[in-house]
Structure formats: structure tokens, C-alpha cells
Amino acid sequence: MNPITYCMNVHPGETLESVFDALKTVTLPLRDALLGAEREFAIGLRLGHLAAEALRSPGQFRRLSSFLARNRLSVIGINGFPYGAFHDEMVKTAVYEPDWTARERIQYTCNLFYALTHFPLSRMGEHCASVTTMPLAYDRGQGFVPGMFQNLCEMALFLRKLEGFTGHRLCLALEPEPDCLLESTRTTIDFFEELWQYPEWNPAYRDYIGLCFDTCHFALGYEDPQNALREIVSANIPVERIQVSAALEVEPGISVDDLLPFLDSVYLHQTRRLEPNGVLCSFPDLTTEVIHELLNSSARIHYHVPLAWAGEGHLRSTRQTLTPGFWRYVRAGGWPVEVETYAFSVYPSSLRTCTLSEALFADIRWVQEQLSRV
């Protein structure tokens, strides 16, 4: 069975103390409820750059590593997408800074990989522990710039050397997201094909730079997740993690009052309206003005809703795109599966009908049920 966990970016993870607090107050009780206190539980850590810098201290390394081992928590990887604050203040497009042209992004990511070599890692068969990262940059029309290729080649060389020193093969997993340089199956494949032709690229780097596949992001672009995943795998792009998440979907007949509770000042909610001719109309964020553009339309919004929630009224979830065929393919591939519902803190009251622990429990149970049926 695939390792199944949740992404700890639903918690504050900017400091090391906030990580410990989340592990003690939510992760361990969740493990006990799902598996019992004696079973190993896989986790997907989130460490902001301050937490990652704190782990440069050998004492802090030992402290966190010992805590994980003592409590039978193994690690599938680390979320290295948000560099700084990710809760309780405006994030929006700042989540994409620094991007993959910046030295700060490289140093932060290297710190995460150093940390990963000290943690008890989950057993994942042919797949390796990974650090997920942003999809190169927010798309401001700049395209793929040489610095991105150069920096990823540098990361691949670093990971190859790290494997030689530690014996751990680790992978940097780029995560395609709407309105970024990597946002779809096509842009992702195009980028990797260019990367593999870059003069500094070495064929021996192939296993070190891969992908984190987030089902919400592909569904937002009205791509079928199973077909998208198959096409990416067929292109020989390493996929090291599946993030299972669902976007908010609206049906014709939606009202302004239905959508107003989903406005928030923290996260970016890229929106796609499906036109009758099949063309997608894109909006960079959900605003009051955009809500009026969605009335009497079919649309999807980058708003990670609970997987255990099927929808209500004219509000739906893209979890219906996660078909038995998708689950069968994921199970056969053996990928670690990570539930991602980071938006819990800004959910409207209609979705916050339980505690975070209860919501995570329900979402993981839902994933377990889907995998067990195929």
C-alpha cells in the first residue's frame, strides 16, 4: 500500500518550535487515531527558511530527528514551496518568492536536503524522499530563463554528491501550479525537455530533478488527472510524490452570496471559467468582480477544499476527477500520497464544521478508502 499522509503546510512551520508544536498537538494524536500508537506513521514535513536554518545546528538536528524516531514518525519528504510565512498574513503571489533564479532559493533548498538526510525516512520502494518546490516562478511573461536551468543543474549536482556522502538518493520535486511557468502537462514536459538539453545538464542527473503531482492544480486547468499523470510518466519525468487535493467547482446557478465566503486576503485563488466552446477564461485571483463573472457559468477555483466534502448546492469539488482508474494507477505506481488542505485556516464556516484534526482524519480515511477499492 502507498504511504499515505498529510502535508504539514496546513500548520505554521516558519520556526522550529512551531513544527514541534504541530507534531505534538496534531500529528501524534492523528497517528494514534488512524493507526494506533505502536505503528509507524509517514509524514510530510514543512520547514520554512528560518526553521531550516535552525537545523544547521547539530543539536537541533538531533533534537528533531530523535523526536521523530522516538515517536515512530518517518518522513516522505519536506514541503519547500513556501519560503517564509504561510499563515495569518497576506501570502498571495509572495509565495513564489524567491524563485528559481535566486540564490536564496538554492540555499534554502540545500538546507532542507541536509535536514532530510538526518531524519528517519519512509520506505517507498522505488521512490525516494523528496523536497517539493515551487514551479520555477510566477508567470509574468518571462518564460524559462537560463538562470533557472543553471540553478537546477547545480541542485542536481549537489544531490548527486549528497548521495555519495550519505547513501541517500533524494529528489527535488517541482510542483506545477496555475499561472506559473509550470502549470500544465504541456508546459511541464516542454520544460524538462529543455532542461535535459541544457549544456550544463548531465544525463546522470535524471533521477534528482522530478515532479510533485498535485491533483487540484491539474483539475483546475480541466485536465484529467489520470491522463496528465500518465503522460508525464510516459515522458520519463520522475514523479516522486502525489499530492491529493481538490479544487472548488461552481455550477451554473451559483449566486454571489454562495461565493463571497470564499474570499480571503491570505492565499491566491486562481480561477478558470469554462466557456461554452471549451475555451478557458483565466482570472489571477478570486475577487468580488470575478465572482460576478462566474454567475451562470461552470468554473473551478484554486481553493483546496476538504476531500471528504462532496459539495453542496451549486458548489462542488473536483474530487470527482479522481476516478477509480486514477487510484488504480497511483496504487500500481506505489507513489507516496499526501493530502494537502492548507487553506483550512481561511475556510468559511460551512466547511469548518470540525477541528483540524478531525478534518485531516476524514480526508486521510477518504483516500485510504479509494485506494482500498481498486
Side-chain angles (χ1 to χ4, degrees), residues 7 45 208 271 369:
C7 184
L45 281 171
Y208 302 107
T271 300
E369 290 171 5

Side-chain angles (χ1 to χ4, degrees), residues 8 16 19-20 23 43-47 51-52 54-70 73-79 111-124 129-131 166 168 170:
M8 291 187 66
L16 202 52
V19 174
F20 274 107
L23 289 168
I43 61 171
L45 281 171
R46 188 255 154 160
L47 301 170
L55 287 175
R56 292 168 66 91
S57 161
Q60 295 289 22
F61 263 136
R62 288 191 294 270
R63 179 185 172 212
L64 182 52
S65 182
S66 297
F67 179 90
L68 296 174
R70 187 169 62 251
L73 298 175
S74 61
V75 180
I76 66 165
I78 301 174
N79 186 307
N111 287 342
L112 295 179
F113 278 116
Y114 276 128
L116 204 49
T117 63
H118 290 74
F119 298 150
L121 301 180
S122 298
R123 295 177 293 274
M124 296 182 287
S130 59
V131 168
T166 67
H168 293 295
L170 306 173

Side-chain angles (χ1 to χ4, degrees), residues 32-44:
D32 294 349
L34 287 165
L35 302 174
E38 301 306 314
R39 297 278 299 279
E40 178 183 302
F41 184 48
I43 61 171

Side-chain angles (χ1 to χ4, degrees), residues 137-160:
Y138 189 68
D139 188 357
R140 295 182 170 89
Q142 73 274 44
F144 303 144
V145 300
M148 296 171 181
F149 295 107
Q150 182 65 45
N151 289 341
L152 288 178
C153 288
E154 182 178 328
M155 280 302 308
L157 177 60
F158 165 80
L159 290 173
R160 193 179 185 201

Side-chain angles (χ1 to χ4, degrees), residues 288-343:
T288 304
E289 293 75 21
V290 170
I291 287 176
H292 285 88
E293 294 281 349
L294 303 183
L295 304 182
N296 302 312
S297 301
S298 295
R300 291 177 178 177
I301 302 165
H302 183 208
Y303 195 111
H304 287 227
V305 295
L307 289 165
W309 179 76
E312 183 178 0
H314 294 293
L315 294 174
R316 290 286 179 262
S317 159
T318 60
R319 77 174 196 177
Q320 46 85 19
T321 66
L322 305 178
T323 62
F326 168 81
W327 293 111
R328 195 174 299 113
Y329 189 61
V330 168
R331 181 165 185 170
W335 289 288
V337 175
E338 185 178 55
V339 168
E340 190 186 27
T341 51
Y342 66 81

